[in-house]
Amino acid sequence: MTEKKTKNGSPARYIIVTAIILAAFLGSYSLAVAKAGKTTVDVGTAGILAATPALNGTAGAGSGSACACCGSGSSTPIEGAATVEGDVQKISVDLSTGSYDPNVIKLKAGIPTEITFGQSSGCTAEVLSKDLGFYQDLTGGPVTVKLPALDAGTYSFSCGMEMVFGSIVVE
Ligand SMILES: [Cu+2]
């Protein structure tokens, strides 16, 4: 009986200690992320869907429907090309106007990409791409989405409500 109690006590203590260490680690990690204010997420190839064929040159930007919640969803295509820096191509997307600038992101096929979305709130508080498999909250600061080398084609992204749209054109 005494032996059993000792044996039962030990694992419980071990679990509690592990839980405390884990909680401390997670706590300091989220603090570090909050302090940095900038998040980087790595999108693996698993989430990437096959590129959709280019949409008769319209590239799907804006798609004409303004966002009801922010009232000013831009339907004017604003093109921006990523800059190749070493082995990656990089581009920043400004959200200070409540829509994506640029909203037509031009990328080169076969080069890993880092897209940095600026801090946002309201309608565009989250950025979503079902095509590329990411969904990020932008309220805490800029988020850099790392994408693997993509095949040529057009990929879509939007606000979390799918009301303000942009596209990623890989050539
Ligand atoms: Cu929206």
Side-chain angles (χ1 to χ4, degrees):
M1 284 302 260
T2 351
E3 240 182 75
K4 262 187 185 172
K5 271 181 190 169
T6 324
K7 274 183 183 170
N8 288 343
S10 261
R13 220 175 304 149
Y14 176 72
I15 287 164
I16 289 165
V17 169
T18 309
I20 289 168
I21 290 168
L22 199 65
F25 171 75
L26 289 176
S28 60
Y29 176 73
S30 54
L31 265 179
V33 168
K35 268 182 196 161
K38 190 171 194 281
T39 314
T40 301
V41 289
D42 207 335
V43 178
T45 43
I48 310 285
L49 302 178
T52 51
L55 304 165
N56 308 322
T58 62
S63 80
S65 60
C67 177
C69 48
C70 62
S72 62
S74 173
S75 58
T76 313
I78 308 165
E79 287 194 3
T83 310
V84 179
E85 293 177 30
D87 295 339
V88 293
Q89 52 188 335
K90 297 180 180 180
I91 188 162
S92 291
V93 179
D94 179 58
L95 277 148
S96 58
T97 58
S99 58
Y100 303 104
D101 181 6
N103 57 19
V104 179
I105 297 173
K106 298 265 199 159
L107 300 179
K108 289 190 169 72
I111 303 174
T113 303
E114 293 182 18
I115 303 175
T116 301
F117 291 95
Q119 181 172 28
S120 194
S121 60
C123 186
T124 51
E126 292 94 28
V127 62
L128 161 75
S129 175
K130 288 176 181 170
D131 289 348
L132 296 170
F134 63 82
Y135 182 86
Q136 292 300 316
D137 187 318
L138 304 173
T139 55
V143 173
T144 299
V145 176
K146 286 188 177 184
L147 299 167
L150 298 170
D151 293 333
T154 300
Y155 305 82
S156 179
F157 66 95
S158 66
C159 73
M161 306 162 224
E162 298 183 77
M163 297 176 96
V164 177
F165 286 88
S167 60
I168 295 170
V169 180
V170 183
E171 289 167 335

